[in-house]
Amino acid sequence: RIFSLDDLSSPVKELQFNGEIEEIEDIKYSPDGGLMAVANKDGSVYVYETKGYKLIKQFQVGSTLWTLDFESDLLAIGGENGKILLWN
């Protein structure tokens, strides 16, 4: 749990990315809650396990990212180049 709806004045957990991510465009959790994907404006995507928030995958898609989303076992990524990329 990242935050409590009972008290939005302070997060339950604050994640530090140690300079990896500078301009977050989008964040999504997988349907089972086990993964969190973060889209950086520079075209980088970071995938973390939510247990301990350990980085498990990082890749570059080559354009400014606008959105990402999980659908079952796929991660869909859309950016300014007009393409939708699917990763599993």
Side-chain angles (χ1 to χ4, degrees):
R1 188 175 80 170
I2 300 300
F3 64 90
S4 169
L5 293 178
D6 297 328
D7 179 13
L8 294 178
S9 65
S10 61
V12 172
K13 183 173 186 73
E14 181 176 333
L15 303 175
Q16 296 292 328
F17 293 108
N18 301 321
E20 297 167 344
I21 302 172
E22 295 179 8
E23 295 184 68
I24 296 173
E25 285 293 316
D26 202 0
I27 299 172
K28 290 290 189 312
Y29 284 86
S30 62
D32 66 3
L35 300 174
M36 178 183 76
V38 180
N40 194 25
K41 191 172 185 173
D42 72 358
S44 302
V45 175
Y46 301 85
V47 181
Y48 296 85
E49 289 179 332
T50 56
K51 185 178 182 178
Y53 289 91
K54 177 184 172 192
L55 179 65
I56 59 168
K57 190 168 194 172
Q58 174 186 354
F59 49 95
Q60 184 77 25
V61 297
S63 72
T64 299
L65 296 176
W66 287 343
T67 189
L68 52 81
D69 204 357
F70 282 97
E71 178 59 39
S72 70
D73 65 343
L74 293 176
L75 175 61
I77 302 166
E80 72 177 359
N81 63 4
K83 294 181 182 178
I84 296 172
L85 304 172
L86 300 174
W87 301 81
N88 62 0

